[in-house]
Amino acid sequence: MPVKLPPDTSRMLLCPMPGLVVSIAVSEGQEVKAGETLAVVEARKMENVLRAERDLTVGAIRAKPGESLAVDAVIMEFA
């Protein structure tokens, strides 16, 4: 059988755990530097700040504040 490669998720911000999107700190088309806050997800009564790992440009925002997400749900995509 051919080996199935996992999908490339390097251009996406995925939800690390089930939780509620508290806020989205960027907008589509915005250039972001490494370490800047992208979004905040609340899980188990704790707020998890999701930060940019590298310099990037936000392409599309897929989640809205107040939305409940599952593990690995796409929050935003990068250009």
Side-chain angles (χ1 to χ4, degrees), residues 57-74:
T57 301
V58 177
I61 297 175
R62 302 286 181 212
K64 300 178 189 82
E67 191 173 341
S68 185
L69 300 177
V71 174
D72 291 339
V74 177

PDB file of all heavy atoms in Angstrom, residues 57-74:
ATOM      1  N   THR A  57       1.659  36.619   6.880  1.00  0.00           N
ATOM      2  CA  THR A  57       0.527  37.462   6.498  1.00  0.00           C
ATOM      3  C   THR A  57      -0.734  36.633   6.662  1.00  0.00           C
ATOM      4  O   THR A  57      -0.802  35.498   6.184  1.00  0.00           O
ATOM      5  CB  THR A  57       0.654  37.930   5.042  1.00  0.00           C
ATOM      6  OG1 THR A  57       1.879  38.657   4.898  1.00  0.00           O
ATOM      7  CG2 THR A  57      -0.510  38.833   4.658  1.00  0.00           C
ATOM      8  N   VAL A  58      -1.735  37.187   7.329  1.00  0.00           N
ATOM      9  CA  VAL A  58      -2.994  36.479   7.550  1.00  0.00           C
ATOM     10  C   VAL A  58      -3.766  36.451   6.236  1.00  0.00           C
ATOM     11  O   VAL A  58      -3.995  37.495   5.620  1.00  0.00           O
ATOM     12  CB  VAL A  58      -3.824  37.169   8.651  1.00  0.00           C
ATOM     13  CG1 VAL A  58      -5.162  36.467   8.837  1.00  0.00           C
ATOM     14  CG2 VAL A  58      -3.049  37.202   9.956  1.00  0.00           C
ATOM     15  N   GLY A  59      -4.175  35.251   5.805  1.00  0.00           N
ATOM     16  CA  GLY A  59      -4.912  35.105   4.560  1.00  0.00           C
ATOM     17  C   GLY A  59      -6.408  35.137   4.782  1.00  0.00           C
ATOM     18  O   GLY A  59      -7.110  35.986   4.255  1.00  0.00           O
ATOM     19  N   ALA A  60      -6.912  34.196   5.583  1.00  0.00           N
ATOM     20  CA  ALA A  60      -8.356  34.098   5.827  1.00  0.00           C
ATOM     21  C   ALA A  60      -8.592  33.685   7.274  1.00  0.00           C
ATOM     22  O   ALA A  60      -7.883  32.838   7.810  1.00  0.00           O
ATOM     23  CB  ALA A  60      -8.973  33.073   4.891  1.00  0.00           C
ATOM     24  N   ILE A  61      -9.592  34.300   7.889  1.00  0.00           N
ATOM     25  CA  ILE A  61      -9.972  33.947   9.266  1.00  0.00           C
ATOM     26  C   ILE A  61     -11.214  33.066   9.174  1.00  0.00           C
ATOM     27  O   ILE A  61     -12.223  33.464   8.603  1.00  0.00           O
ATOM     28  CB  ILE A  61     -10.228  35.209  10.103  1.00  0.00           C
ATOM     29  CG1 ILE A  61      -8.931  36.008  10.195  1.00  0.00           C
ATOM     30  CG2 ILE A  61     -10.740  34.823  11.490  1.00  0.00           C
ATOM     31  CD1 ILE A  61      -9.051  37.325  10.896  1.00  0.00           C
ATOM     32  N   ARG A  62     -11.127  31.855   9.712  1.00  0.00           N
ATOM     33  CA  ARG A  62     -12.197  30.865   9.605  1.00  0.00           C
ATOM     34  C   ARG A  62     -13.071  30.759  10.852  1.00  0.00           C
ATOM     35  O   ARG A  62     -14.146  30.179  10.803  1.00  0.00           O
ATOM     36  CB  ARG A  62     -11.614  29.484   9.300  1.00  0.00           C
ATOM     37  CG  ARG A  62     -10.786  29.428   8.039  1.00  0.00           C
ATOM     38  CD  ARG A  62     -11.673  29.484   6.837  1.00  0.00           C
ATOM     39  NE  ARG A  62     -10.863  29.402   5.622  1.00  0.00           N
ATOM     40  CZ  ARG A  62     -11.178  29.985   4.507  1.00  0.00           C
ATOM     41  NH1 ARG A  62     -12.284  30.692   4.416  1.00  0.00           N
ATOM     42  NH2 ARG A  62     -10.401  29.889   3.455  1.00  0.00           N
ATOM     43  N   ALA A  63     -12.610  31.272  11.982  1.00  0.00           N
ATOM     44  CA  ALA A  63     -13.373  31.176  13.232  1.00  0.00           C
ATOM     45  C   ALA A  63     -13.765  32.569  13.706  1.00  0.00           C
ATOM     46  O   ALA A  63     -13.107  33.559  13.388  1.00  0.00           O
ATOM     47  CB  ALA A  63     -12.545  30.473  14.298  1.00  0.00           C
ATOM     48  N   LYS A  64     -14.833  32.631  14.482  1.00  0.00           N
ATOM     49  CA  LYS A  64     -15.331  33.896  15.022  1.00  0.00           C
ATOM     50  C   LYS A  64     -15.312  33.839  16.546  1.00  0.00           C
ATOM     51  O   LYS A  64     -15.465  32.768  17.120  1.00  0.00           O
ATOM     52  CB  LYS A  64     -16.773  34.133  14.567  1.00  0.00           C
ATOM     53  CG  LYS A  64     -16.959  34.216  13.078  1.00  0.00           C
ATOM     54  CD  LYS A  64     -18.439  34.399  12.751  1.00  0.00           C
ATOM     55  CE  LYS A  64     -18.702  34.272  11.286  1.00  0.00           C
ATOM     56  NZ  LYS A  64     -18.817  32.912  10.801  1.00  0.00           N
ATOM     57  N   PRO A  65     -15.148  34.991  17.208  1.00  0.00           N
ATOM     58  CA  PRO A  65     -15.238  35.005  18.664  1.00  0.00           C
ATOM     59  C   PRO A  65     -16.588  34.448  19.116  1.00  0.00           C
ATOM     60  O   PRO A  65     -17.623  34.720  18.525  1.00  0.00           O
ATOM     61  CB  PRO A  65     -15.102  36.491  19.014  1.00  0.00           C
ATOM     62  CG  PRO A  65     -14.328  37.063  17.871  1.00  0.00           C
ATOM     63  CD  PRO A  65     -14.790  36.295  16.664  1.00  0.00           C
ATOM     64  N   GLY A  66     -16.548  33.610  20.153  1.00  0.00           N
ATOM     65  CA  GLY A  66     -17.758  32.988  20.677  1.00  0.00           C
ATOM     66  C   GLY A  66     -18.020  31.617  20.088  1.00  0.00           C
ATOM     67  O   GLY A  66     -18.878  30.884  20.562  1.00  0.00           O
ATOM     68  N   GLU A  67     -17.278  31.255  19.059  1.00  0.00           N
ATOM     69  CA  GLU A  67     -17.465  29.960  18.398  1.00  0.00           C
ATOM     70  C   GLU A  67     -16.745  28.862  19.179  1.00  0.00           C
ATOM     71  O   GLU A  67     -15.636  29.047  19.664  1.00  0.00           O
ATOM     72  CB  GLU A  67     -16.912  30.045  16.976  1.00  0.00           C
ATOM     73  CG  GLU A  67     -17.256  28.882  16.101  1.00  0.00           C
ATOM     74  CD  GLU A  67     -16.821  29.119  14.659  1.00  0.00           C
ATOM     75  OE1 GLU A  67     -16.586  30.269  14.254  1.00  0.00           O
ATOM     76  OE2 GLU A  67     -16.723  28.116  13.942  1.00  0.00           O
ATOM     77  N   SER A  68     -17.383  27.712  19.302  1.00  0.00           N
ATOM     78  CA  SER A  68     -16.804  26.560  19.978  1.00  0.00           C
ATOM     79  C   SER A  68     -16.103  25.689  18.942  1.00  0.00           C
ATOM     80  O   SER A  68     -16.687  25.334  17.921  1.00  0.00           O
ATOM     81  CB  SER A  68     -17.907  25.770  20.682  1.00  0.00           C
ATOM     82  OG  SER A  68     -17.347  24.725  21.426  1.00  0.00           O
ATOM     83  N   LEU A  69     -14.836  25.336  19.205  1.00  0.00           N
ATOM     84  CA  LEU A  69     -14.041  24.583  18.244  1.00  0.00           C
ATOM     85  C   LEU A  69     -13.581  23.246  18.808  1.00  0.00           C
ATOM     86  O   LEU A  69     -13.392  23.099  20.013  1.00  0.00           O
ATOM     87  CB  LEU A  69     -12.807  25.388  17.835  1.00  0.00           C
ATOM     88  CG  LEU A  69     -13.037  26.741  17.178  1.00  0.00           C
ATOM     89  CD1 LEU A  69     -11.698  27.421  16.916  1.00  0.00           C
ATOM     90  CD2 LEU A  69     -13.812  26.580  15.892  1.00  0.00           C
ATOM     91  N   ALA A  70     -13.369  22.292  17.919  1.00  0.00           N
ATOM     92  CA  ALA A  70     -12.820  20.991  18.281  1.00  0.00           C
ATOM     93  C   ALA A  70     -11.301  21.028  18.093  1.00  0.00           C
ATOM     94  O   ALA A  70     -10.751  21.984  17.542  1.00  0.00           O
ATOM     95  CB  ALA A  70     -13.430  19.905  17.395  1.00  0.00           C
ATOM     96  N   VAL A  71     -10.640  19.970  18.506  1.00  0.00           N
ATOM     97  CA  VAL A  71      -9.190  19.860  18.313  1.00  0.00           C
ATOM     98  C   VAL A  71      -8.886  19.890  16.816  1.00  0.00           C
ATOM     99  O   VAL A  71      -9.595  19.278  16.014  1.00  0.00           O
ATOM    100  CB  VAL A  71      -8.675  18.543  18.921  1.00  0.00           C
ATOM    101  CG1 VAL A  71      -7.198  18.335  18.605  1.00  0.00           C
ATOM    102  CG2 VAL A  71      -8.901  18.525  20.407  1.00  0.00           C
ATOM    103  N   ASP A  72      -7.856  20.610  16.436  1.00  0.00           N
ATOM    104  CA  ASP A  72      -7.375  20.736  15.059  1.00  0.00           C
ATOM    105  C   ASP A  72      -8.354  21.439  14.109  1.00  0.00           C
ATOM    106  O   ASP A  72      -8.214  21.348  12.896  1.00  0.00           O
ATOM    107  CB  ASP A  72      -6.984  19.375  14.474  1.00  0.00           C
ATOM    108  CG  ASP A  72      -5.730  18.822  15.144  1.00  0.00           C
ATOM    109  OD1 ASP A  72      -4.971  19.610  15.736  1.00  0.00           O
ATOM    110  OD2 ASP A  72      -5.519  17.598  15.074  1.00  0.00           O
ATOM    111  N   ALA A  73      -9.331  22.155  14.654  1.00  0.00           N
ATOM    112  CA  ALA A  73     -10.201  22.986  13.808  1.00  0.00           C
ATOM    113  C   ALA A  73      -9.370  24.165  13.319  1.00  0.00           C
ATOM    114  O   ALA A  73      -8.522  24.706  14.049  1.00  0.00           O
ATOM    115  CB  ALA A  73     -11.409  23.471  14.591  1.00  0.00           C
ATOM    116  N   VAL A  74      -9.583  24.577  12.098  1.00  0.00           N
ATOM    117  CA  VAL A  74      -8.815  25.692  11.503  1.00  0.00           C
ATOM    118  C   VAL A  74      -9.355  27.020  12.034  1.00  0.00           C
ATOM    119  O   VAL A  74     -10.532  27.323  11.879  1.00  0.00           O
ATOM    120  CB  VAL A  74      -8.882  25.649   9.968  1.00  0.00           C
ATOM    121  CG1 VAL A  74      -8.138  26.844   9.375  1.00  0.00           C
ATOM    122  CG2 VAL A  74      -8.328  24.347   9.436  1.00  0.00           C
TER     123      VAL A  74
END
